[in-house]
Amino acid sequence: MSLPRETSAITLSLSDENATAALAARLTPCLAPGWVVHLVGPLGAGKTTFVRAILRALGHTGPVKSPTYGLVELYPVSGLNLYHFDFYRFATPEEFYAAGLEEYFDGTGVCLVEWPEKAAALAPGADLTITIEPRPDGSREVRLTASTPRARQCLNRLAAP
C-alpha cells in the first residue's frame, strides 16, 4: 500500500474578490505562530486584498492598509500577532536589517510579507509562497507553494475534496 503523495503546490483561478476571500478563509486555520507567508505578484495583483481577506477571516473588523511606508503593520487578532510587511520601497536587501525587521521573525507571530524578493535572501524563507497573477478579464491565477512540512499539510487540506 502506498501513502498519498504530499501536495507541494496548488494553482487556482479566482474569479473575483469573493473567491479570494473564500480561499483566505480556507487558509487561515493553518496559520500559527512562526508561519512566514510570502505574497508575490506585480503591483495591483491583489496581495494586500489577500492579506485583508485573511484578517477578515480571522475576525478583524478594522481597517487594513498596505504598510508600504511604515514597512509593517501589526494586527493582534484571534490570539495571533499577525505582522503585515511590505518591502516594495527597499532599494537594497540590506534595508531589511537596517530597518530592524528581523526581530519580528522570532517565531511568535505570523508574518505576511509583500515583495519579499526586495529583501532577497536576508529575510527569512517562507513556509508558504502565494503568487498572484492578474489576468486581462479581472480574474487572478493564484499559486500556493509549500516549502515546509506544515505548509504541505495545509495544502493537502486545501486540496482535499
Side-chain angles (χ1 to χ4, degrees), residues 52-134:
R52 184 177 299 112
I54 287 172
L55 285 162
R56 296 285 182 254
L58 288 169
H60 179 75
T61 58
V64 177
K65 63 180 185 171
S66 177
T68 301
Y69 293 101
L71 299 178
V72 63
E73 293 288 334
L74 166 62
Y75 299 94
V77 60
S78 295
L80 295 172
N81 283 328
L82 194 142
Y83 299 99
H84 180 200
F85 297 90
D86 188 330
F87 298 159
Y88 178 74
R89 292 185 323 123
F90 283 2
T92 67
E94 289 73 23
E95 289 183 55
F96 174 78
Y97 288 126
L101 298 177
E102 66 274 7
E103 68 188 55
Y104 291 99
F105 293 84
D106 66 359
T108 61
V110 174
C111 297
L112 305 176
V113 182
E114 294 187 42
W115 299 96
E117 64 275 15
K118 295 278 194 159
L122 299 183
D127 291 285
L128 182 66
T129 300
I130 301 171
T131 304
I132 305 171
E133 287 294 331

Side-chain angles (χ1 to χ4, degrees), residues 13-71:
S13 179
L14 303 179
S15 57
D16 56 26
E17 199 166 326
N18 289 333
T20 300
L23 176 59
R26 291 180 58 212
L27 177 65
T28 56
C30 297
L31 300 178
W35 268 73
V36 177
V37 178
H38 287 177
L39 294 122
V40 177
L43 277 173
K47 297 179 295 292
T48 300
T49 298
F50 199 90
V51 171
R52 184 177 299 112
I54 287 172
L55 285 162
R56 296 285 182 254
L58 288 169
H60 179 75
T61 58
V64 177
K65 63 180 185 171
S66 177
T68 301
Y69 293 101
L71 299 178

